[in-house]
Amino acid sequence: MIPFNKPHLTGKETHYIYDAVSTGKISGNGKYTKLCQEFFEKKYGFLKCLMTTSCTDALEMAAILINIEPGDEVIMPSYTFVSTSNAFILRGAVIKFADSEVGNPNLDVSKIQRLITDKTKAIVPVHYAGVACDMDAIMDLATKYNLFVVEDAAQAIDSFYTGRDGKKRALGSIGHLAAFSFHETKNIIAGEGGMLAINDPQFVQRAEIIWEKGTNRSSFFRGEVDKYGWVDMGSSFLPSEIISAFLWAQLEELDDIQARRKAIWNQYQQGLSDWGNANGIRLPEIPSYATNNAHMFYLVCNNPEVRSELIQKMKNQDIHPVFHYLSLHKSPFYAEKHHGAELAQSDRYSDCLVRLPFYYDLTDAELEGIIKALRS
Amino acid sequence: MIPFNKPHLTGKETHYIYDAVSTGKISGNGKYTKLCQEFFEKKYGFLKCLMTTSCTDALEMAAILINIEPGDEVIMPSYTFVSTSNAFILRGAVIKFADSEVGNPNLDVSKIQRLITDKTKAIVPVHYAGVACDMDAIMDLATKYNLFVVEDAAQAIDSFYTGRDGKKRALGSIGHLAAFSFHETKNIIAGEGGMLAINDPQFVQRAEIIWEKGTNRSSFFRGEVDKYGWVDMGSSFLPSEIISAFLWAQLEELDDIQARRKAIWNQYQQGLSDWGNANGIRLPEIPSYATNNAHMFYLVCNNPEVRSELIQKMKNQDIHPVFHYLSLHKSPFYAEKHHGAELAQSDRYSDCLVRLPFYYDLTDAELEGIIKALRS
């Protein structure tokens, strides 16, 4: 049986959990929280990182930081996870859903401008499958209309964007704020877990306060204030050291994990591209400005019936590909609140996209088996 | 060196974490999440439990469930943790802080009625040190004025209240909703972690939806709906299986942990009561309707100077007692929003209460040393 996902252990997770407990501190913001945060800051050039209990929580922090108030509008793709929008809805925002590109499920930048009003406060590009959105175009719009950009980089760790200046920047380091996920289906995992990356210096101090339940506890421990108290709204966004210790074991093996995942991705592409072309089934397209972090390998079928048949036939061989999001603008919760425009590409991905099994421990033989099963 | 707290390991935490990983699922709502939830439901008579990443998150779920809207008023003690109020402030609530009792830091029920207006939506009693608030009186007020009661039971696991009907009920099973904490300083721990207990059946279905990021995923997996989608607001409130697996190892040893903690508590009381009486230092008082879950042993000094001196003198002997909350109505964040009434008892506990070192692995000899140090 080949499932869609299997969490991968590097072997040192429980060792570091033991070590975390031996420090006498397993609540948040201890040794491993700091190790993880510094790792990400140094490796990817984020100004400041804060570990969170989920990517959802990182998005909620972002919504609080940019002061979303009831009636503020936020633009994002409809083809995304519910948390992308919930985080802003919890602050009272109105979501303006935009369509995806024809070539991949990312936000179609040409569809954004028409959604901007004087109430628009932010754009939330989602780097689907870890593939960069067209960030130069998005940042240009944000500058022109004085908007914040919050990158939903849930799937986008260790992936990059090369802008018109020729510089290669890590996804999550470009917008004012960015949110990452370490959910068990991601490249590096902690079961549930996430991180907020802060790139705009104006948010650093307040982010730490919101993260520490609205207190200036972090300033206190740095000796900047002589007692700490309640200074802002906030929540308990920081994860247990157990979670960060687990993640640390994954980070130590990041290069190995990424090398294996890229090999899997390439094997899928080499094994399926001619078959896809011959059968009207599209494989992932990586724009020239983007890198591939091998988060996911998906197929886009030419209609929903083909997808259903493909999933069913694979299941009959105990191989378990899965579809993905359902357009949020058509959901029971938001259909009546949607601005009404048809979002054809979003609906196409909802109906026709299927994700193939993808995890570190997938063997070459299993991969060959999946490819062979698809081709027949 | 005797710290204020040391997290206690039962020994099987990493074993269960390994097991959780071996199930192929370490995100939320797996085997250990269910084991923990069922344990609490059966042992304490909660209608339904949902594990959360923190007590803060459980309180936030409660605020969403009772539909707190901007301008709604919530009554709670000022002597509490910031999360008690933040959870409701994030939904736009106005907090009406009430004073504590003279005998213990719990909500003084005689001060509640005067704070009730036509905007009041909930009362949030906090069972300080795991000692029950006067729940009959609070539930009577709630019934009379049609209010919800959300028990902040962060410190109150395995503690009980005996009402006028003579029935002994677990704290957290009396209000419409209740929030528990498994932070490293609590009796049973998961580093960071919490739980929402739902006692009013009207909230069960929606709680599950909010917990699963606003989707009806739980219904889908029970076969009640044929696909799942976005049906409500929500967040990622559910913790990783790693956290629940850790907690499960603690729950298996709950009786042992509680027995040891009660022995520690009794040793403090026996060793300090005559000294307290002679020096105007008050020891915890347990009302006749309450049990003692041995969460904490605190002293209330007769003035702030005595407390400072006591803490300093103990620190000189490398023993680390700590003070606790600062009145929230005087905080930088809320002082100007406070209704203005003086809350004398809350301020007294802020100034004069000190918590003694309290953890499972504290030895009898160390306890004797602490008691001796205090008495001299």
Side-chain angles (χ1 to χ4, degrees), chain B residues 169-183:
Chain B
R169 290 185 180 83
L171 298 189
S173 73
I174 303 164
H176 303 82
L177 298 160
F180 288 91
S181 172
F182 307 118
H183 183 265

Side-chain angles (χ1 to χ4, degrees), chain B residues 243-278:
Chain B
I243 294 293
S244 296
F246 191 103
L247 187 69
W248 181 246
Q250 299 261 318
L251 292 183
E252 284 192 330
E253 299 298 325
L254 177 64
D255 292 342
D256 173 58
I257 290 170
Q258 288 298 83
R260 177 65 196 142
R261 293 188 72 104
K262 284 174 187 171
I264 293 170
W265 201 96
N266 290 334
Q267 197 172 338
Y268 268 136
Q269 198 195 34
Q270 283 154 26
L272 294 172
S273 57
D274 61 331
W275 165 82
N277 281 335

Side-chain angles (χ1 to χ4, degrees), chain B residues 46-58:
Chain B
F46 310 129
L47 175 61
K48 172 77 186 166
C49 290
L50 293 171
M51 301 302 298
T52 58
T53 54
S54 62
C55 185
T56 306
D57 273 30

Side-chain angles (χ1 to χ4, degrees), chain B residues 66-360:
Chain B
I66 64 171
N67 282 322
I68 292 288
E69 288 179 5
D72 286 347
E73 295 177 1
V74 178
I75 296 168
M76 63 180 64
S78 176
Y79 192 71
T80 186
F81 190 52
V82 289
S83 289
T84 318
S85 47
N86 268 327
F88 297 90
I89 282 173
L90 281 169
R91 310 301 319 135
V94 173
I95 308 298
K96 297 289 175 180
F97 288 114
D99 207 359
S100 297
E101 291 191 38
V102 175
N104 71 45
N106 283 343
L107 203 50
D108 182 344
V109 178
S110 71
K111 306 285 174 63
I112 294 176
Q113 188 149 6
R114 71 191 66 169
L115 296 174
I116 296 174
T117 72
D118 57 2
K119 289 184 176 172
T120 307
K121 198 144 194 181
I123 304 172
V124 186
V126 180
H127 303 300
Y128 188 80
V131 173
C133 294
D134 185 358
M135 291 307 293
D136 274 346
I138 290 169
M139 296 308 290
D140 285 349
L141 280 170
T143 304
K144 184 173 174 187
Y145 294 101
N146 196 24
L147 309 175
F148 293 113
V149 173
V150 179
E151 294 179 70
D152 183 337
Q155 306 170 8
I157 198 73
D158 201 46
S159 199
F160 298 84
Y161 171 79
T162 304
R164 69 173 86 91
D165 62 4
K167 278 191 194 162
K168 192 172 170 181
R169 290 185 180 83
L171 298 189
S173 73
I174 303 164
H176 303 82
L177 298 160
F180 288 91
S181 172
F182 307 118
H183 183 265
E184 67 169 20
T185 51
K186 301 305 186 291
N187 292 30
I188 52 169
I189 62 171
E192 306 269 352
M195 179 176 75
L196 179 71
I198 302 147
N199 303 309
D200 183 336
Q202 71 168 304
F203 294 124
V204 170
Q205 191 186 2
R206 191 171 174 226
E208 235 177 22
I209 288 168
I210 290 168
W211 186 61
E212 283 273 27
K213 306 160 187 89
T215 73
N216 53 353
R217 188 169 171 272
S218 294
S219 291
F220 172 75
F221 282 112
R222 284 196 297 267
E224 296 161 9
V225 293
D226 63 358
K227 62 180 178 176
Y228 76 89
W230 190 26
V231 295
D232 203 337
M233 64 173 71
S235 182
S236 185
F237 289 114
L238 73 181
S240 166
E241 276 286 290
I242 297 166
I243 294 293
S244 296
F246 191 103
L247 187 69
W248 181 246
Q250 299 261 318
L251 292 183
E252 284 192 330
E253 299 298 325
L254 177 64
D255 292 342
D256 173 58
I257 290 170
Q258 288 298 83
R260 177 65 196 142
R261 293 188 72 104
K262 284 174 187 171
I264 293 170
W265 201 96
N266 290 334
Q267 197 172 338
Y268 268 136
Q269 198 195 34
Q270 283 154 26
L272 294 172
S273 57
D274 61 331
W275 165 82
N277 281 335
N279 291 279
I281 290 173
R282 295 176 70 156
L283 273 55
E285 290 175 17
I286 314 286
S288 57
Y289 50 69
T291 60
N292 172 26
N293 73 342
H295 170 60
M296 182 198 298
F297 199 92
Y298 64 82
L299 307 171
V300 185
C301 302
N302 37 16
N303 63 57
E305 292 72 31
V306 169
R307 181 177 74 173
S308 298
E309 194 189 335
L310 183 152
I311 291 175
Q312 193 52 54
K313 282 190 174 167
M314 297 293 275
K315 274 190 182 166
N316 294 344
Q317 298 178 64
D318 224 0
I319 299 167
H320 296 270
V322 293
F323 58 84
H324 209 182
Y325 309 130
L326 300 178
S327 289
L328 293 184
H329 73 287
K330 288 193 168 170
S331 66
F333 187 58
Y334 224 76
E336 286 188 12
K337 303 180 193 94
H338 177 56
H339 51 74
E342 199 195 347
L343 305 178
Q345 299 311 321
S346 178
D347 290 342
R348 185 169 63 92
Y349 294 116
S350 298
D351 289 341
C352 303
L353 185 148
V354 57
R355 297 175 289 163
L356 301 185
F358 205 117
Y359 46 89
Y360 181 94

Side-chain angles (χ1 to χ4, degrees), chain A residues 30-261:
Chain A
K31 171 180 168 183
Y32 287 97
T33 302
K34 291 181 175 83
L35 276 172
C36 291
Q37 290 174 178
E38 284 164 16
F39 175 93
F40 288 117
E41 288 163 11
K42 279 184 191 152
K43 187 166 178 81
Y44 299 116
F46 309 129
L47 175 62
K48 171 77 186 167
C49 289
L50 293 171
M51 302 301 298
T52 59
T53 54
S54 62
C55 185
T56 306
D57 272 31
L59 289 165
E60 288 177 18
M61 286 186 72
I64 295 172
L65 280 168
I66 64 172
N67 281 322
I68 293 288
E69 288 178 5
D72 286 348
E73 295 177 2
V74 178
I75 296 167
M76 62 181 62
S78 177
Y79 192 72
T80 185
F81 190 51
V82 288
S83 289
T84 318
S85 47
N86 268 327
F88 297 90
I89 282 172
L90 281 169
R91 311 300 319 134
V94 173
I95 308 298
K96 297 288 175 180
F97 288 114
D99 208 358
S100 297
E101 292 191 38
V102 175
N104 71 46
N106 284 342
L107 202 51
D108 182 343
V109 176
S110 72
K111 305 285 173 62
I112 294 176
Q113 190 149 4
R114 71 190 68 170
L115 296 174
I116 295 174
T117 72
D118 56 4
K119 289 185 176 171
T120 307
K121 197 144 195 181
I123 304 171
V124 186
V126 180
H127 304 299
Y128 187 81
V131 174
C133 294
D134 186 358
M135 290 306 293
D136 275 345
I138 290 169
M139 296 309 289
D140 285 350
L141 280 171
T143 303
K144 184 173 174 188
Y145 294 99
N146 197 26
L147 309 176
F148 292 113
V149 173
V150 179
E151 294 178 72
D152 184 336
Q155 306 170 9
I157 198 72
D158 201 47
S159 199
F160 297 84
Y161 172 79
T162 304
R164 70 173 85 91
D165 62 4
K167 277 191 193 161
K168 192 172 169 180
R169 290 185 180 83
L171 298 190
S173 74
I174 304 164
H176 303 82
L177 298 160
F180 287 91
S181 172
F182 308 118
H183 183 265
E184 67 170 20
T185 51
K186 301 306 186 291
N187 292 30
I188 52 168
I189 63 173
E192 304 270 351
M195 179 176 75
L196 180 71
I198 302 147
N199 303 309
D200 184 335
Q202 70 168 304
F203 294 124
V204 171
Q205 192 186 3
R206 191 169 175 228
E208 236 178 21
I209 288 168
I210 290 167
W211 186 61
E212 283 273 26
K213 306 161 188 87
T215 73
N216 52 354
R217 187 168 171 273
S218 295
S219 290
F220 173 75
F221 282 111
R222 284 195 299 266
E224 295 162 9
V225 292
D226 63 358
K227 62 180 177 178
Y228 76 88
W230 191 27
V231 295
D232 204 337
M233 63 175 69
S235 183
S236 185
F237 289 114
L238 72 182
S240 166
E241 275 286 290
I242 297 165
I243 294 293
S244 295
F246 190 103
L247 187 68
W248 181 246
Q250 300 262 317
L251 292 184
E252 285 192 331
E253 300 298 325
L254 177 63
D255 291 342
D256 172 58
I257 290 170
Q258 288 297 83
R260 177 65 194 142
R261 293 188 72 105

